[in-house]
Amino acid sequence: MRRFRAFTSLLIMKIAFTGKGGSGKSTVATLFVAHLRAAGHRVLAVDADVNVHLAPLLGVTAHSRGALSHPDNVTALRSHLIGDNTLIGGVQRFVATTPPGPGSRPVTLDPGDPVLAAHAVALDERTHVMHVGTYEPEEIGAGCYHGHLAILENLLSHLRTLDGDWVVCDMVAGTDAFANSLHAQFDAIVVVVEPTPESVTVARRYRELAAAAGVADLLVFVGNKVADEIDRDYLRRELGTEPLTVLTAQAGLRRARQLGVCPSLTDLDDATPLRRVAEHVRPVDPRRRRALLRDLHLKTAGKDWVRNAYGDVSDQLEPVTV
């Protein structure tokens, strides 16, 4: 019990990038990873978008066999995470919201961590890249992408990082992260928003859902492709607030992408917006996160389809102690 409490009390820096499709969220996430690497941080970058853009933008080829959501990898990863935790009841009862417990194995960003070794591509000894995966031909009409994201929820809830470590997730576009518990897994949720009606509509909807989910304080807006002061005023007016920072339209970045080159910090006129995002993030109180995830697990456990498929998974939670 003592070992598990030490594991769960550590502060974890996890940030998600989302927004309307085409807003540039994957590119901004890629540049943020580059900023963290340049600053000397250990980084785990996770491509959780069904379109799988972050991994290629970081120079990684995303093969289907290497996807976290590949059935073989799901089984292997969950088997590892269970460790000696007898509360789960076996891999067959591991659901998206299943929490770590006594005897669970944490995942770290150490280069020798078995999860990184099996499921990540190393850009260097301090930077690793994973991808959740996308639809495969045999899955057409047989399910939704939320099922793929369940293994990412398991990974995030079992992470243990050290001070200065970062986990950066490029999320699926739109508001799908509220389907399960992903919104409660991060220390910051960055909504990348263009100065267009469609993009700000998605951003406002994300804010509404974040408020309803109890994580409104973790949500920030980052303007992208901002050409002039008219664009800035448009974002302020339509969002009803000042964005945390804005990235202007970057000719160098656009040229690099036209050439098929991975984006880099040298393509930017000014990397200050990335630094502002990094400086803004603060670790969520572990007690708050545990309470959020506990409530979400109980909500999941109460669903009829979960009971029918997995039995009563509410017994995977440890008793609350005062």
Side-chain angles (χ1 to χ4, degrees), residues 51-292:
N51 294 309
V52 194
H53 288 318
L54 180 67
L57 287 173
L58 290 170
V60 174
T61 301
H63 297 292
S64 61
R65 290 287 304 181
L68 289 176
S69 64
H70 188 284
D72 292 344
N73 295 332
V74 170
T75 299
L77 181 53
R78 286 177 171 168
S79 297
H80 175 83
L81 297 178
I82 287 175
D84 298 324
N85 184 356
T86 59
L87 295 177
I88 294 179
V91 175
Q92 72 281 0
R93 296 185 71 235
F94 215 127
V95 298
T97 55
T98 292
S104 293
R105 290 194 186 104
V107 179
T108 74
L109 301 195
D110 296 332
D113 184 90
V115 171
L116 291 189
H119 304 289
V121 174
L123 299 185
D124 55 56
E125 65 176 8
R126 300 179 65 81
T127 311
H128 292 79
V129 182
M130 294 177 172
H131 72 285
V132 172
T134 186
Y135 286 116
E136 300 301 329
E138 63 272 15
E139 296 174 312
I140 295 175
C144 67
Y145 193 62
H146 296 155
H148 289 66
L149 292 171
I151 190 60
L152 174 60
E153 296 177 69
N154 301 150
L155 174 71
L156 293 175
S157 67
H158 286 72
L159 270 169
R160 181 181 69 186
T161 60
L162 299 178
D163 185 31
D165 288 352
W166 284 78
V167 178
V168 180
C169 289
D170 179 28
M171 299 303 300
V172 63
T175 55
D176 282 350
F178 285 98
N180 291 311
S181 70
L182 283 169
H183 60 278
Q185 300 276 10
F186 298 103
D187 300 296
I189 302 170
V190 176
V191 181
V192 179
V193 53
E194 298 176 87
T196 65
E198 297 79 11
S199 191
V200 296
T201 296
V202 170
R204 289 196 299 258
R205 180 58 175 158
Y206 223 118
R207 181 169 55 195
E208 293 172 4
L209 292 172
V215 294
D217 59 315
L218 306 183
L219 190 78
V220 296
F221 297 126
V222 169
N224 192 32
K225 307 177 187 178
V226 175
D228 49 32
E229 195 59 33
I230 294 175
D231 282 351
R232 292 174 184 264
D233 287 340
Y234 179 82
L235 288 177
R236 295 188 193 103
R237 182 175 68 253
E238 295 300 317
L239 295 174
T241 188
E242 185 79 28
L244 174 65
T245 189
V246 298
L247 282 158
T248 58
Q250 303 284 320
L253 186 61
R254 186 167 61 253
R255 296 293 174 260
R257 298 306 302 126
Q258 289 171 350
L259 294 171
V261 178
C262 297
S264 71
L265 296 179
T266 59
D267 298 321
L268 296 177
D269 298 332
D270 181 11
T272 301
L274 303 173
R275 176 173 54 80
R276 287 178 179 167
V277 172
E279 291 174 347
H280 174 81
V281 182
R282 294 291 182 272
V284 169
D285 186 324
R287 293 168 297 182
R288 175 188 176 186
R289 171 163 290 132
R290 286 198 296 270
L292 279 171

